[in-house]
Every structure is written in C-alpha cells, then in structure tokens.
Amino acid sequence: MEHEIRVRVADELLMFLPAARREPVSRVPWDGTSTLGHVVESLGVPLPEAGRLTVGGTAVEPSTRPSAGDEVRVDPVPRPQPVPLDPGQEAPRFLLDVHLGTLARRMRLLGLDTAYHNDMDDPALVVQANAERRVLLTQDRGLLRRRALWFGAYVRGSRPDDQLRDLLDRFAPVLRPWTRCTACNGVLVPVDKEEIERDLEAGTRRSYDVYGRCGDCGQLYWRGAHGDRLEKIVEEATRQVETARTAAAGARAAVSDG
C-alpha cells in the first residue's frame, strides 16, 4: 500500500481503459513525482474527459502530486459541460477531425458553427482550435492528450445519429437550425426567387418559393424532397437540447434549495 495509490474511475470513463484492466478501481504503482493528471492519463483516460478529481474526498487539480496510499476518484465531465464563450457568443464553436464529416454536416444543419477539413493533420487541428477558440471534437484519444489543446471532447458512438445525440447531451448548445451552409459552414441569407430563377431546374421553380444562399460559397438551399428527413433531425435535436437544459436547471435548483 505504501508504494501505490488507488484510483477509482467512474463507470462512464471505463471505456477508455484497456479491456484487460477495465475495472472501477485500479492500483497504480507510485513513483513519488507524477502529477495526478499524468496518473489518470496513464490509465487511458484523456484529461479532457476527466471531470472532478478528488483525493480522500477533497477536490484537487490535475497538477496535484498525490501521496502513496491515497484514494483517488475520477469523475466524468459534467453534462451539459460549460464552455467559455466570447462576449455576444451564443453557443460554442466547434472543429471536427477528419473522421467526423457526416456529424459536421448535421451540426451545421442545426446552425452550429462547425469547422471541418478532410485533409488536416493533428498539429494543424490543434492550432486552428486554439486560434479560433473552437472545441475540438474527435475519436482520437491521442489527439485529446496534446497538452497545447485548449478544449477538446471525445465523441461517443460509431453512427452519426449516436454521435449527434452525444454531442447535444454533452454541450446542450443553443441551436439555430437552417442558418448555415452544410457544405462550407457559411451563413445562409434569404434570396428572392426572381434573382435565381435562371439557376433553377424547371421542377424546382414550380415547386418551391423560399430560398437561401450561402454568403460564402454561393450554394443555394430550399426545402426539397429530403426536407422531411432533415426536419426530423432538427426536431429531435431541439427536443434533446430542451430536455438537457431543463434537467440541468432542475439540478441547479435542487442544489440551491439544499
């Protein structure tokens, strides 16, 4: 006992531990110098996924050096997770790695400022995330361990539907559906049908009267045959965010009353 510490990892974080060592309590050899943050990451949990850290029931920082025999608890980040916002900013800005292209399009559909490149390497992602104060979303645990990264989050789920639900549950961001270009992330502006009639197919001209255009790439948008499917995504996302925000408000009220 005098040469080890015990680390209890919350159930929500066990997925990050190697399968052979996926137990709630780990006995970790203690070298006398490592910080608690180093210990947590050595188990497999990226620090951006670790929430409250406690030693013997007392909250501590990742830079804390525990003592031999200490009992450490690692909780998940709170949900919804607060993100520092600039003055006047409604919702976090996001940057997605190369494997999350479908998720990026769905986030843009919901009006979230979502940068995505299909050819950007890890160092460049960190540079852009820091420069533009974007939350970096990834399923690359190594990327989340980069010390220079200001804010990152692991996206759970292999299907875009599950990934979107995880993102909305984690951040419960303010949504502004149908306001961004799903192709380039530019802001959509209304455009008169008369201005663009020559660019439309005859069937489209006859069937639709409301159009928008991306202020950056010029892409035209209207509620086409796929509109019902997209509307369902928007409706489900809106309900999920409202539910998450209501639950968070109730939890805060309960703490205040207590």
Side-chain angles (χ1 to χ4, degrees):
M1 171 70 82
E2 65 273 12
H3 299 299
E4 68 181 22
I5 59 177
R6 287 164 52 89
V7 183
R8 180 176 295 276
V9 176
D11 291 345
E12 297 92 329
L13 300 175
L14 290 177
M15 58 175 285
F16 293 109
L17 274 59
R21 295 191 287 120
R22 197 163 292 166
E23 299 178 351
V25 179
S26 298
R27 295 180 178 273
V28 180
W30 176 234
D31 60 12
T33 60
S34 296
T35 65
L36 187 53
H38 175 80
V39 171
V40 169
E41 290 205 322
S42 71
L43 290 174
V45 181
L47 272 185
E49 296 302 303
R52 187 169 182 259
L53 305 177
T54 58
V55 174
T58 300
V60 297
E61 296 297 323
S63 57
T64 299
R65 286 183 169 80
S67 301
D70 276 347
E71 299 276 342
V72 177
R73 178 175 176 84
V74 185
D75 290 329
V77 293
R79 292 191 174 216
Q81 183 180 11
V83 178
L85 301 178
D86 296 333
Q89 186 181 344
E90 281 190 317
R93 292 183 286 264
F94 296 94
L95 172 62
L96 278 60
D97 77 8
V98 297
H99 304 292
L100 298 174
T102 301
L103 176 60
R105 290 190 291 275
R106 295 195 180 188
M107 291 172 64
R108 291 168 178 173
L109 171 68
L110 299 176
L112 297 171
D113 186 343
T114 306
Y116 169 77
H117 316 275
N118 61 10
D119 58 353
M120 185 173 280
D121 61 16
D122 289 358
L125 285 169
V126 173
V127 169
Q128 182 177 358
N130 293 349
E132 300 177 9
R133 303 288 281 179
R134 293 181 179 274
V135 177
L136 179 56
L137 302 181
T138 183
Q139 293 186 324
D140 182 342
R141 303 176 192 189
L143 182 53
L144 288 180
R145 293 192 183 100
R146 288 181 174 259
R147 292 288 182 265
L149 180 62
W150 87 285
F151 204 122
Y154 184 88
V155 178
R156 290 160 171 79
S158 58
R159 298 170 57 248
D161 288 346
D162 297 330
Q163 293 168 355
L164 182 60
R165 280 191 288 268
D166 180 62
L167 178 279
L168 297 176
D169 181 66
R170 179 157 182 171
F171 296 106
V174 174
L175 304 180
R176 293 287 181 262
W178 314 105
T179 60
R180 286 193 176 271
C181 176
T182 57
C184 81
N185 195 45
V187 175
L188 301 185
V189 295
V191 59
D192 290 335
K193 184 176 181 179
E194 291 75 14
E195 290 184 40
I196 58 172
E197 278 189 314
R198 68 181 63 182
D199 299 320
L200 302 174
E201 298 289 342
T204 302
R205 284 198 303 271
R206 289 193 301 268
S207 303
Y208 306 101
D209 295 315
V210 179
Y211 297 86
R213 179 160 53 197
C214 175
D216 290 346
C217 73
Q219 176 77 35
L220 291 174
Y221 286 86
W222 61 90
R223 302 288 180 90
H226 58 293
D228 289 345
R229 180 177 62 83
L230 298 181
E231 187 65 51
K232 183 178 179 181
I233 293 174
V234 169
E235 290 175 355
E236 291 179 352
T238 301
R239 283 197 299 270
Q240 184 180 350
V241 169
E242 289 175 351
T243 298
R245 286 176 168 262
T246 299
R252 288 194 298 269
V255 171
S256 177
D257 292 342

